[in-house]
Amino acid sequence: MAVKTKDEALPRLPAGTWAILGLLTFGERSGYDLKKLIDLSVGHFFSPARSQIYAELRRLVQLGYAREREVSQTDRPDKRNYRVTPAGEAALRRWLDESPLEPDSFKSPFLVKVFFGRLMDPDRLEEQVREYRAGAVSELAELEALEPMIRDEPMTAFPYLTLRAGLSACRHTIRWCDEVLKALREETP
Amino acid sequence: MAVKTKDEALPRLPAGTWAILGLLTFGERSGYDLKKLIDLSVGHFFSPARSQIYAELRRLVQLGYAREREVSQTDRPDKRNYRVTPAGEAALRRWLDESPLEPDSFKSPFLVKVFFGRLMDPDRLEEQVREYRAGAVSELAELEALEPMIRDEPMTAFPYLTLRAGLSACRHTIRWCDEVLKALREETP
DNA sequence: GTCGACATGTAACCAGTTACATGATTAA
DNA sequence: TTAATCATGTAACTGGTTACATGTCGAC
């Protein structure tokens, strides 16, 4: 028999919307909870503002992909939890399997500066490279702290793969910074 | 004596605007030329649409940072070349040295998919990892073709550093894809 | 004569951020 | 009482993309 959902067109949504829907498959959550969850999961390759999360949740409800539920709390302010609907999970699976791969987007004001480094004061440039390197080091520390928590957990096998991508990217960045610092020292003694 | 420009506030412009201004320091160019130049220079960390380039050039002229010049051509359609003004170069240098470092932005619909890989058909996932890997391989080839052209050129010493960042990022991505493919094969034999 | 490269732009839209605004509860 | 964390949202803006629109010139 034909599966009806197979024939329906998927709405064209940005990947981030699907990511939020996906996070709801781990259990119902409020917008506020989602923000924290994002920061320590998909935060390295998708990081929306809080206001956008709330907007996406409203959109998911409107599409029938999520349902809203008021949760009264005595110890804290009330909140609204969202959970994924069967239609939502079906749509998500279809998006994951069928949607053509969109290219990554990477923007780096820092690399723009390095590119035009010949116009910079050498000390300022070195300073900014160090600052950039320090950022990568602290990001690496965060990811390394996460690593033992999710490794060997079967539920997080796939998130673990993306964590490995983040770890490797940070390490590459740090090595590259060291190369650059060395090159700068050699050229301007 | 006081240098007047030191005291004036720099307009807060996105890094991309400064990047376009910076590219004009290599010589006057049209919007069309700039697009091609961007693709093989800063394209890996800043890649605007053509329409945006034209908009930025108009903005730079309005700010007094660039000047426009009609160029009549007999063999091709006429064009408008832009060149940086002294005020423009001074402002650019100040932005490079003084503006606080904005964080990179990285968005990867692909990593979102991997993260939710447990909801995917394993064959579709493997297919998309291969596709992603192929993208990295062809990007690497482009960068490797560029490398001998700019290495050892003193004018391009700084662009060369950013090229090395791109090369190293591509290689890291390819290795990571191979790791993932191996992991997928082991888990679903 | 029509295709591809050259060349410039507008209009509409959408994604996403920042700043603003509100308010509850708990602990110092 | 003041700060911190919890909690949700709106409004204004901006950055950026896509699609549309126009047209030249040279080569086949």
Side-chain angles (χ1 to χ4, degrees):
Chain A
M1 60 186 171
V3 179
K4 192 180 157 209
T5 51
K6 268 271 165 183
D7 301 326
E8 281 163 18
L10 273 186
R12 217 182 81 272
L13 300 170
T17 310
W18 296 112
I20 287 175
L21 186 58
L23 289 173
L24 293 180
T25 67
F26 290 110
E28 73 167 19
R29 279 199 173 59
S30 70
Y32 194 86
D33 295 334
L34 273 171
K35 177 60 177 162
K36 285 183 297 179
L37 179 57
I38 286 168
D39 286 341
L40 48 84
S41 61
V42 296
H44 313 93
F45 44 90
F46 163 64
S47 197
R50 237 178 37 248
S51 61
Q52 202 192 340
I53 295 174
Y54 290 117
E56 297 292 6
L57 287 172
R58 264 172 270 144
R59 164 148 72 170
L60 289 173
V61 169
Q62 224 184 332
L63 286 164
Y65 291 169
R67 240 188 277 292
E68 193 179 307
R69 191 172 69 91
E70 288 282 337
V71 178
S72 298
Q73 299 182 120
T74 52
D75 50 335
R76 309 174 167 196
D78 295 353
K79 62 177 177 175
R80 297 177 196 189
N81 271 3
Y82 294 82
R83 64 178 199 285
V84 63
T85 63
E89 189 175 322
L92 173 60
R93 283 177 190 271
R94 284 193 54 207
W95 177 77
L96 288 167
D97 282 345
E98 297 169 23
S99 79
L101 217 47
E102 297 160 69
D104 291 349
S105 114
F106 175 61
K107 286 173 200 177
S108 179
F110 168 70
L111 286 177
V112 167
K113 289 194 173 194
V114 175
F115 190 92
F116 297 111
R118 81 181 198 291
L119 301 173
M120 288 181 76
D121 176 289
D123 290 340
R124 290 286 84 70
L125 176 54
E126 189 183 321
E127 200 175 287
Q128 300 203 27
V129 175
R130 285 187 199 287
E131 190 183 329
Y132 189 73
R133 187 189 189 281
V137 166
S138 81
E139 206 185 320
L140 177 61
E142 279 176 47
L143 295 176
E144 279 173 339
L146 233 52
E147 208 249 12
M149 294 164 58
I150 73 167
R151 89 175 300 164
D152 305 325
E153 291 289 326
M155 266 300 280
T156 52
F158 290 100
Y160 184 67
L161 294 175
T162 65
L163 176 65
R164 304 254 316 159
L167 286 164
S168 140
C170 284
R171 290 181 181 129
H172 132 259
T173 297
I174 293 165
R175 273 197 301 273
W176 175 83
C177 286
D178 290 335
E179 262 182 52
V180 171
L181 289 169
K182 195 175 155 232
L184 293 179
R185 254 176 269 125
E186 279 164 11
E187 270 187 39
T188 51
Chain B
M1 57 185 171
V3 178
K4 192 181 156 207
T5 51
K6 267 273 167 183
D7 302 325
E8 281 163 17
L10 272 187
R12 216 182 81 273
L13 300 170
T17 310
W18 296 112
I20 287 175
L21 185 58
L23 289 173
L24 293 180
T25 66
F26 289 110
E28 73 167 19
R29 281 201 172 58
S30 68
Y32 195 86
D33 295 334
L34 272 171
K35 175 60 177 162
K36 286 183 296 180
L37 178 58
I38 286 170
D39 285 341
L40 46 85
S41 61
V42 295
H44 313 93
F45 43 90
F46 163 64
S47 196
R50 238 180 31 255
S51 60
Q52 203 192 339
I53 296 174
Y54 290 118
E56 297 292 5
L57 287 171
R58 262 171 273 146
R59 163 148 71 171
L60 289 172
V61 169
Q62 225 183 333
L63 286 164
Y65 292 169
R67 242 188 276 292
E68 194 179 306
R69 190 172 68 91
E70 289 280 336
V71 178
S72 299
Q73 298 183 121
T74 52
D75 51 335
R76 314 176 162 192
D78 294 355
K79 62 177 177 176
R80 298 178 196 189
N81 271 3
Y82 294 82
R83 65 177 198 285
V84 64
T85 63
E89 189 175 323
L92 173 59
R93 284 178 189 271
R94 284 194 53 207
W95 177 77
L96 288 167
D97 281 344
E98 296 169 23
S99 77
L101 218 44
E102 296 161 69
D104 291 350
S105 115
F106 175 61
K107 284 172 201 178
S108 178
F110 168 70
L111 287 177
V112 168
K113 288 193 174 197
V114 175
F115 189 91
F116 296 110
R118 81 182 198 290
L119 302 173
M120 288 182 77
D121 176 289
D123 290 341
R124 288 288 83 69
L125 176 54
E126 189 183 322
E127 201 174 286
Q128 299 202 29
V129 175
R130 284 186 200 287
E131 190 183 328
Y132 189 73
R133 187 189 188 281
V137 166
S138 82
E139 206 185 318
L140 177 61
E142 278 175 48
L143 294 177
E144 279 174 340
L146 232 54
E147 206 249 11
M149 292 165 61
I150 72 166
R151 87 174 302 163
D152 305 325
E153 291 289 327
M155 266 299 279
T156 53
F158 290 101
Y160 183 70
L161 294 175
T162 65
L163 177 65
R164 303 253 318 159
L167 286 164
S168 139
C170 284
R171 289 178 183 133
H172 130 259
T173 297
I174 293 166
R175 273 197 301 273
W176 176 83
C177 286
D178 290 335
E179 261 181 54
V180 170
L181 289 169
K182 194 174 155 233
L184 293 180
R185 255 178 267 125
E186 280 165 11
E187 270 188 38
T188 52

